[in-house]
Amino acid sequence: MVISNKVVVVGLGYVGLPLALLAERKGHKVTGVDTDQSKIDLLKNKKTPFTDEMVTDFLPASKIELTTEFSCVKNSEIIIICVPTPVYENHLPNLELVINASTKVAEQLQKGQLIILESTVNPEVSESVVLPILEEVSGLKGGTDFYLAHAPERINPGDPKWNVENINRVVGSFESVGLEKAVAFYESILTGTVKRMGSLKEAEAVKVVENSFRDINIAFVNELARSFTRLGIDIVNVIDGAATKPFAFMAHYPGCGVGGHCIPVDPYYLIEHAKKKGFDHDFLSLARRINNDMPHFTVERVIEGLNDVKMAINGSVVTVLGVSYKANIDDCRESPSFEIIKLLKAKGAEVRIYDPFVERESNVTDLESALKGANAVVLATAHKEFKTISPETYTKAGVKVMVDGRNALPKNEIEKAGIIYKGIGR
Ligand code: SAJ
């Protein structure tokens, strides 16, 4: 059954924009709302402030309405909130954008409308923060006058295989009418499956659990990397070996740190929420500490490498290649590169920064000037361009030490070129 709804998507970032374009392609009448006028102007000119294949493919032909005004909510049927939920310095969840968006939507709320929150939040936010705002500001009753569901976003930036259309989703609500309306909407746009959860809290918990699962697994191999450095065992080879086991093992790989707007953030939502209920997630907190300490371990590797060539880090020129939090995208939120740069500078190094995807954070404009005269190089992001640099390029530039923060480079070839190689666990 083909359904066509009037849909408003609030927040046109990595999550909202691909979703808005997909809903349009599947026959819905879509309006995109964003409070950032410059982003709206950019999108009206068919440009996007970030890299995403689906957006690049479908934005040019799209006819979605684009506005900063929430008045469009009035005559819509489904409103989907996709605003960021970062953490404060103390890692507590920052719900300001969710609260602002919910309030603006509530001011326009009409009977019969369905609101779906896609932003990642800790359990209970939908029912204890969003629902009360919607009811108090609109004067309407949730579950009878309007409906609320939570469908945590699962966008994976830069993933060539999994996209907003084919990724399976979960949906939860506090009553069955809203749940079924939300399930019907997602089933009308997705080729992936849609799983009904038992409550708003269960749907919220799915997201923080799946990302905490990833964080603890990365922490596991990061701890192994530090241990195997002392044991003289190549952790990457060992993980690849373990990965030949066809069941009960899922490979994760050590690195110079864990960045992004999901993995290093979402576990804190669970940690802080459970703490308020009297439970301390010792294990999740330890995993966060292990992962947050990888930039420090990476800088230790720089110091060791320079020591091997009888140089001090103080006064050395160290080039950091990569600021994005993961390869071949321009997103540098929570990137470990920033901590690595800070630690290197604190040790007295002159730090050069080069990332072809993130010019605004680079202090050199090309690879040649990034490498020329550098004593040591840290590969912090495994961008395609960096993986094809020949060892000779480094030796010609005078580089003595290579710290491979993503274990992405040919260790033997680099060592054969007479450069000290330090990996993360190899
Ligand atoms: N990282 C490691 N070792 C690993 C995997 C990742 O150090 O084995 C680091 C990355 O370098 C990066 C950070 O962790 O700095 C996060 O990497 P990520 O691959 O998890 O990328 P994200 O943040 O884009 O995570 C998304 C998440 N998707 C959603 O939240 C919707 C996550 O749930 C996915 O598991 C992940 O993509 C994925 O599988 O690629």
Side-chain angles (χ1 to χ4, degrees):
M1 176 193 64
V2 177
I3 62 170
S4 171
N5 291 115
K6 287 188 193 137
V7 178
V8 168
V9 175
V10 177
L12 299 174
Y14 296 85
V15 176
L17 187 56
L19 176 69
L21 295 171
L22 174 65
E24 177 192 35
R25 277 202 319 282
K26 298 289 181 169
H28 297 282
K29 177 97 182 63
V30 181
T31 300
V33 177
D34 200 294
T35 53
D36 180 346
Q37 183 64 57
S38 61
K39 184 183 285 185
I40 294 292
D41 296 343
L42 211 57
L43 292 171
K44 283 183 173 173
N45 289 318
K46 304 297 180 188
K47 291 193 178 57
T48 162
F50 55 84
T51 42
D52 176 291
E53 225 161 274
M54 296 282 272
V55 173
T56 311
D57 292 349
F58 296 109
L59 180 60
S62 167
K63 292 185 174 43
I64 59 172
E65 294 288 314
L66 294 159
T67 176
T68 57
E69 297 300 320
F70 281 77
S71 50
C72 58
V73 165
K74 240 189 199 27
N75 57 16
S76 66
E77 293 158 294
I78 300 175
I79 302 104
I80 311 170
I81 298 175
C82 307
V83 296
T85 46
V87 285
Y88 292 113
E89 274 301 301
N90 61 5
H91 302 307
L92 278 168
N94 175 347
L95 297 174
E96 288 168 40
L97 295 175
V98 167
I99 291 166
N100 292 346
S102 303
T103 305
K104 295 262 186 192
V105 165
E107 288 163 356
Q108 311 291 335
L109 205 55
Q110 303 298 311
K111 283 198 170 188
Q113 288 180 327
L114 166 65
I115 293 91
I116 302 171
L117 177 69
E118 284 213 0
S119 306
T120 304
V121 291
N122 59 268
E124 286 189 24
V125 167
S126 297
E127 64 198 56
S128 63
V129 175
V130 177
L131 184 57
I133 290 173
L134 295 174
E135 291 183 325
E136 282 150 31
V137 174
S138 70
L140 298 174
K141 184 85 184 101
T144 45
D145 298 331
F146 68 86
Y147 308 98
L148 173 65
H150 179 63
E153 61 90 0
R154 278 187 172 159
I155 290 285
N156 186 23
D159 189 323
K161 181 177 177 211
W162 296 108
N163 56 54
V164 63
E165 183 175 8
N166 63 14
I167 294 173
N168 302 333
R169 302 290 294 272
V170 299
V171 184
S173 182
F174 63 107
E175 43 75 36
S176 58
V177 174
L179 178 64
E180 293 311 316
K181 282 175 175 285
V183 168
F185 168 72
Y186 282 106
E187 285 181 340
S188 76
I189 65 169
L190 300 181
T191 53
T193 61
V194 181
K195 178 176 176 52
R196 292 168 176 78
M197 302 308 295
S199 65
L200 288 166
K201 278 193 285 193
E202 280 189 5
E204 291 160 335
V206 163
K207 179 62 187 282
V208 288
V209 164
E210 64 196 27
N211 282 357
S212 299
F213 171 85
R214 191 160 173 80
D215 197 47
I216 57 178
N217 276 282
I218 296 168
F220 170 52
V221 292
N222 278 339
E223 180 174 88
L224 286 176
R226 300 184 77 148
S227 144
F228 282 29
T229 299
R230 298 204 182 235
L231 274 57
I233 302 172
D234 184 320
I235 183 64
V236 176
N237 292 343
V238 171
I239 292 166
D240 289 344
T244 61
K245 181 179 176 186
F247 50 87
F249 183 80
M250 182 191 262
H252 286 74
Y253 291 91
C256 57
V258 175
H261 57 297
C262 304
I263 308 306
V265 169
D266 298 353
Y268 287 120
Y269 278 44
L270 187 52
I271 291 165
E272 297 309 326
H273 181 60
K275 201 179 281 179
K276 283 188 203 139
K277 304 278 184 180
F279 182 81
D280 287 332
H281 271 286
D282 297 340
F283 181 40
L284 296 186
S285 302
L286 174 61
R288 287 279 70 241
R289 283 200 302 276
I290 290 170
N291 289 336
N292 283 344
D293 197 47
M294 291 315 284
H296 176 256
F297 177 70
T298 303
V299 171
E300 275 177 5
R301 298 294 272 160
V302 176
I303 294 167
E304 287 160 25
L306 288 169
N307 207 32
D308 289 351
V309 292
K310 299 192 180 0
M311 291 185 74
I313 188 162
N314 194 342
S316 288
V317 176
V318 182
T319 294
V320 175
L321 295 180
V323 175
S324 307
Y325 78 83
K326 72 176 183 180
N328 309 320
I329 63 169
D330 61 355
D331 187 350
C332 46
R333 285 177 286 181
E334 308 287 323
S335 172
S337 299
F338 295 126
E339 183 63 14
I340 291 167
I341 290 161
K342 200 171 95 187
L343 292 170
L344 287 170
K345 286 181 177 171
K347 298 273 181 196
E350 180 198 323
V351 183
R352 292 203 199 127
I353 307 161
Y354 175 62
D355 187 325
F357 285 84
V358 195
E359 281 173 25
R360 67 186 181 284
E361 298 291 349
S362 304
N363 62 11
V364 287
T365 53
D366 58 78
L367 184 64
E368 194 187 345
S369 47
L371 295 180
K372 195 165 173 9
N375 304 117
V377 172
V378 177
L379 180 97
T381 314
H383 288 320
K384 252 195 320 285
E385 171 181 341
F386 297 153
K387 291 171 74 170
T388 55
I389 302 171
S390 71
E392 292 63 46
T393 306
Y394 291 116
T395 46
K396 260 196 231 122
V399 174
K400 304 267 184 305
V401 178
M402 165 52 78
V403 175
D404 184 0
R406 295 295 173 194
N407 294 327
L409 302 177
K411 174 180 177 186
N412 298 336
E413 285 169 46
I414 288 171
E415 289 181 331
K416 268 200 215 112
I419 295 171
I420 299 287
Y421 175 96
K422 302 279 181 188
I424 307 295
R426 67 193 298 236

